[in-house]
Amino acid sequence: MRALDWVVVAVYLAGTLALGLYVARRGAKNLAEFFVGGRAIPWWLAATSMAATTFNVDTPLYVAGKVAQAGVAGNWEWWSFALAHVLMAVLLAKLWRRAGVVTDMELTELRYGGRPAAALRAGRAFLLAVPINCIGIGYGMLAMRKVVIGLGLFEGLPHLPGDARLWALIPIVLIVLVYTAASGLWGVVTTDFVQYLLAMAGAVTVMLYALHDVGGLGPMVARLRAEGQGNRLALVPLGKDALVPLSTFVGYVGVQWWAFRNSDGGGMFVQRLASTANEREAEKAAHAFNLLNYVVRTWPWVLVGLAALLILPGLKDPELAYPLLMARYLPVGILGLVFASLLAAFMSTVSTQVNWGASYLVHDLYARFTGTSDDRALLRAARWASIGLTLLAATVSFFMDNIGTVFRFVILIGNGPGLVLLLRWFWWRINAWAEIAAMGAGLVLALLTLLPAFASLTFGQRILLTAFGSLAVWFPVMLLTRPEPEEVLDRFYARTRPGGAWGPVRARVRLEPLDHLARDVRRWLLWVTLILGGTLGIGWVLLTR
């Protein structure tokens, strides 16, 4: 990169830091402001923040690698989560906002009672905040390292422990920490808005240059077919030459979305929903996120991945295609802008994950189990937690190499408890022991599938094994253990009033549900058709017409 490129990057970093510090006054008031923005964040800002959170610097690299490995249909690995995210928008967003929690872990002790509930809250909070969260942040840092390698930046750095080029990320991480630790959620969502727009602009720019090199959409599709790569254009892997095994595709669309630990929305999204003013705002935020995440953002990356098959054939590491195309095409100034867009994607996700992880450590562990209520002490703890998580994630990232592999590992070890997390809203019989059993069984089974004896299993078969193996454990455990105490169930139902199988509880509290479950299921089917139909429809127009 030239001097002008670095000026563009410096201006972006300075602007981001200034914006984060500008809103620091709101985040410094108390813990509710720091973690849920005082429940005053507008729906459109919450929606864009959720979309920016899922749009990390690793995402275009991951999609390019997925297209090279399994074609367009390989994206069902993440498209399938639209089923869960639409369910969040239609059914769960209003319930989460109605519950009035700061974190999704807080719901554990609203829904369940006694020591099992406290142990479950503490265990899940630590597991998600530290090891799983740091792995998530770490593979974002891995992707940033690949961008640095692909662009040839920072060559000639002195020898440092580990990969010297990764140390170039330290100034960026420090900037993220400053505005995240200072301003809390307001700083995160405000900068997320700018970062999402910049990141999308960068993705479209790279796409346009790549398509220009291959002669446009039509010639690109024709060349892929002529070279025997037409099966990579399939939107759904159902043909005999499909690159995605049928068992894997079935695992994606039939199991993964409801078995995964984020089936009920997931901690980072729940944090955004909890930060809105009311249930209606939460629903609007979730619907807008689905449009931004699936319909808007998908195709620039997919088209770059397809173009890279022709421009950079036989690339040893297909995940490097995106930064290599940036370095190949983009003129001075534009290269700096697009590099800044990747920094934007990286920083938006890292800041979200740091703030979310700190909310678990402080709200669900420190404050809950020490009884501390002093806002100054809690805010100080939140900032120290943010620093600790970032440094630990940077350490973890040194030991990573492949983004797609890490992504699938995170999915696999989180598979199993999803069905329990959904049913606890709609069935009074679910208890804390069922959730503990589901989480433990899913984790053990996922780790077992990594052993050499299971090497022949497809990823879809591993998903099926962990999901239904976990079900075979938690369901008998639930039947063999006591239901939650009546007073706990009555209090939870009176607060959230969900639809579903709450007959005995409803009879005791004499309150009708606020939601019509059958109607919401029909709305879910309609919205799934709109979101996935829109995503696939755009692809059909681009790749076949």
Side-chain angles (χ1 to χ4, degrees), residues 18 26 95 112 169 172 225 256 277 297 306 406 413 455-456 458 495 534:
R26 301 200 66 159
L95 291 173
Y112 312 127
L169 300 179
I172 302 165
R225 294 189 185 281
Q256 178 177 271
R297 82 171 197 171
L306 290 172
V406 178
I413 63 173
S456 61
T458 66
R495 185 166 181 170

Side-chain angles (χ1 to χ4, degrees), residues 90-91 94-95 97-99 279 283 425-426 492-500 502 506 509-520 523:
V90 172
L91 269 172
K94 54 191 174 185
L95 291 173
R97 187 60 189 87
R98 204 177 293 160
E279 296 172 32
E283 283 191 74
W425 289 102
F426 307 110
F492 175 79
Y493 178 81
R495 185 166 181 170
T496 59
R497 295 172 66 179
W502 287 90
R506 194 178 299 131
V509 299
R510 297 181 181 180
L511 289 173
E512 291 300 311
L514 295 176
D515 308 314
H516 192 288
L517 189 57
R519 181 186 61 199
D520 284 341
R523 290 177 58 221

Side-chain angles (χ1 to χ4, degrees), residues 84-156:
H85 290 149
V86 171
L87 191 68
M88 175 185 72
V90 172
L91 269 172
L92 298 169
K94 54 191 174 185
L95 291 173
W96 279 116
R97 187 60 189 87
R98 204 177 293 160
V101 295
V102 173
T103 69
D104 58 329
M105 293 302 148
E106 185 181 347
L107 187 82
T108 304
E109 290 192 282
L110 293 177
R111 177 60 177 81
Y112 312 127
R115 291 182 180 179
L120 178 61
R121 180 180 182 180
R124 284 199 74 211
F126 178 80
L127 182 66
L128 294 178
V130 182
I132 291 180
N133 189 33
C134 287
I135 290 172
I137 298 172
Y139 74 72
M141 293 180 176
L142 165 64
M144 200 70 242
R145 184 178 73 193
K146 291 197 173 192
V147 171
V148 169
I149 294 171
L151 294 179
L153 306 179
F154 307 112
E155 294 290 347

Side-chain angles (χ1 to χ4, degrees), residues 189-201:
V189 299
T190 304
T191 52
D192 275 354
F193 181 77
V194 177
Q195 289 162 346
Y196 178 80
L197 297 179
L198 182 58
M200 283 304 305

Side-chain angles (χ1 to χ4, degrees), residues 245-260:
L246 182 60
S247 62
T248 297
F249 180 60
V250 171
Y252 290 158
V253 299
V255 178
Q256 178 177 271
W257 64 274
W258 58 258
F260 189 54

Side-chain angles (χ1 to χ4, degrees), residues 206-216 219-220 223 307 310-312 325 328-329:
V206 176
M207 176 196 73
L208 293 175
Y209 275 96
L211 289 178
H212 181 268
D213 191 12
V214 295
M220 179 186 73
R223 285 179 59 187
L310 300 173
I311 301 167
L312 302 169
L325 292 179
R328 179 170 182 152
Y329 297 128

Side-chain angles (χ1 to χ4, degrees), residues 1 4 42 92 223 235 336 420 485 507 511 541:
M1 295 206 314
L4 179 59
L92 298 169
R223 285 179 59 187
L235 298 174
V420 176
L511 289 173
V541 169

